[in-house]
Amino acid sequence: MINRRRAAFAAAAVATLALTTACGSSGTQSAPGTTSADNVQPAGQGTSDYGYGSSGGSGGSGGQAGGTDTAAGKAPKAAPAGKLALHQDAKIGTVVADSKGMTLYRFDKDTPDPAKSNCNGSCATTWPPVPADGATAPAGIDKSKLGSVTRADGVKQLTIAGWPAYRYIKDTKAGDTKGQGVGGTWNALAPDGKKAGAQEPSDVSVFNHPDLGGILVDGKGRTLYRFNKDSAWPMKFGCNDACLDTWKPAKPADRSKLNGIAPKLISTVTRPDGTRQLAVDCWPVYWFTGDEQPGDINGQGKMGLWFAVSKEGKKVTTTPEG
């Protein structure tokens, strides 16, 4: 009798062990050769759709992290964007960032009109959606371009010109743009909501400012100004000595590296101290030390003497309130 009971007990233990091995304590045990996250993806959310994931996509691993939110098709909770910023990337030009300098991206499989996010489940783990709450625009972004879209999980996501905005999990410090071009569908956001990097960065280019219109900026995205006390002909420099501590002469430009401005308007002048300076329509131009990021126009109208320059080489006299 005792031997029969021991045999029955052993058989029950084996059956229980087999059941546990097949299903797992959480009910998400993977089949051989798969990960548990593969089994908790929402229907239709395969990693090949997004160009990332543990299967070797160009976005790398990390998109397959588990967690209750991802398993339920909800995006992981992300930090608010705060006051957006613009920064100049040497390869792709001016890009939008959050208040901590982390680059924001757009996804080609989303739509801007009507705004809709098609990045859910594990995609939203690798590309965390940026919450809309509390996001504000810097000087270089038209406030009217900021909006929001309600995602499938009910979260309100920030949009720029209708495009839902995301961060990239592999960007680890301010200014990183590791998400640019991933999967052929992800791009950093330009200030107008378009893809950053559509054109090569230039020594001089046109920035579409929400208040001043098309104004000239240098290779670092800084607004270029001209000074009323200078003159183009005869050549005269009114900004010297202490003035140069605040207003820095712009470096000469290569005429083959211009974007949006006629090469004939670009020249180089030599200052009294021998420094060579960029000139637009023969006027020496400067950048202002009080401008902190692309799109800033803190020097506009200073003392009634300093003004941004249009793509036609003329001074822009509009002075935004505030």
Side-chain angles (χ1 to χ4, degrees):
M1 179 67 70
I2 293 176
N3 289 337
R4 281 195 211 125
R5 286 179 181 173
R6 286 178 179 173
F9 179 84
V14 169
T16 301
L17 178 61
L19 181 61
T20 302
T21 303
C23 299
S25 58
S26 64
T28 58
Q29 180 70 27
S30 304
T34 66
T35 65
S36 60
D38 291 329
N39 291 333
V40 299
Q41 289 179 342
Q45 299 299 326
T47 59
S48 60
D49 290 341
Y50 304 104
Y52 66 86
S54 59
S55 60
S58 59
S61 60
Q64 300 300 315
T68 303
D69 286 347
T70 302
K74 296 177 67 177
K77 186 176 181 180
K83 185 173 183 179
L84 302 181
L86 300 179
H87 68 83
Q88 193 76 3
D89 184 87
K91 294 182 179 180
I92 60 176
T94 305
V95 302
V96 182
D98 65 16
S99 60
K100 294 184 178 180
M102 304 305 291
T103 301
L104 303 188
Y105 297 89
R106 48 171 276 178
F107 182 36
D108 283 352
K109 294 184 180 182
D110 288 347
T111 59
D113 187 20
K116 182 182 179 183
S117 169
N118 289 309
C119 178
N120 300 291
S122 58
C123 172
T125 301
T126 296
W127 303 91
V130 180
D133 293 344
T136 58
I141 296 181
D142 188 341
K143 296 179 179 64
S144 68
K145 290 190 179 294
L146 297 192
S148 66
V149 62
T150 302
R151 296 173 52 78
D153 58 12
V155 173
K156 285 191 174 182
Q157 182 176 0
L158 174 68
T159 61
I160 299 178
W163 286 98
Y166 307 82
R167 298 181 180 95
Y168 182 42
I169 197 170
K170 287 195 172 183
D171 285 347
T172 56
K173 64 181 185 299
D176 277 354
T177 55
K178 296 175 183 176
Q180 179 70 6
V182 167
T185 55
W186 291 91
N187 293 272
L189 275 158
D192 56 3
K194 295 180 180 178
K195 299 176 185 179
Q199 296 176 318
E200 291 291 326
S202 309
D203 286 354
V204 180
S205 60
V206 177
F207 181 89
N208 292 314
H209 195 279
D211 295 316
L212 303 187
I215 59 174
L216 299 184
V217 298
D218 68 7
K220 294 185 177 181
R222 297 176 296 204
T223 301
L224 295 175
Y225 301 89
R226 56 185 256 186
F227 184 37
N228 278 1
K229 290 188 177 181
D230 287 348
S231 66
W233 192 262
M235 183 58 64
K236 174 185 172 184
F237 296 90
C239 181
N240 298 287
D241 303 322
C243 174
L244 297 176
D245 292 336
T246 302
W247 302 89
K248 301 296 185 181
K251 293 182 179 180
D254 183 338
R255 283 189 176 184
S256 68
K257 297 180 180 179
L258 307 177
N259 182 9
I261 182 171
K264 67 180 182 180
L265 293 176
I266 299 297
S267 59
T268 301
V269 295
T270 302
R271 298 182 58 82
D273 62 2
T275 301
R276 288 164 60 80
Q277 182 176 359
L278 172 67
V280 178
D281 198 21
C282 296
W283 282 84
V285 292
Y286 307 76
W287 57 270
F288 180 46
T289 56
D291 286 345
E292 297 179 354
Q293 63 180 351
D296 278 356
I297 52 168
N298 297 319
Q300 179 68 0
K302 279 283 187 183
M303 299 175 286
L305 298 171
W306 293 91
F307 298 94
V309 183
S310 73
K311 62 181 180 180
E312 292 80 23
K314 309 301 180 183
K315 68 179 180 182
V316 178
T317 57
T318 303
T319 304
E321 295 182 7

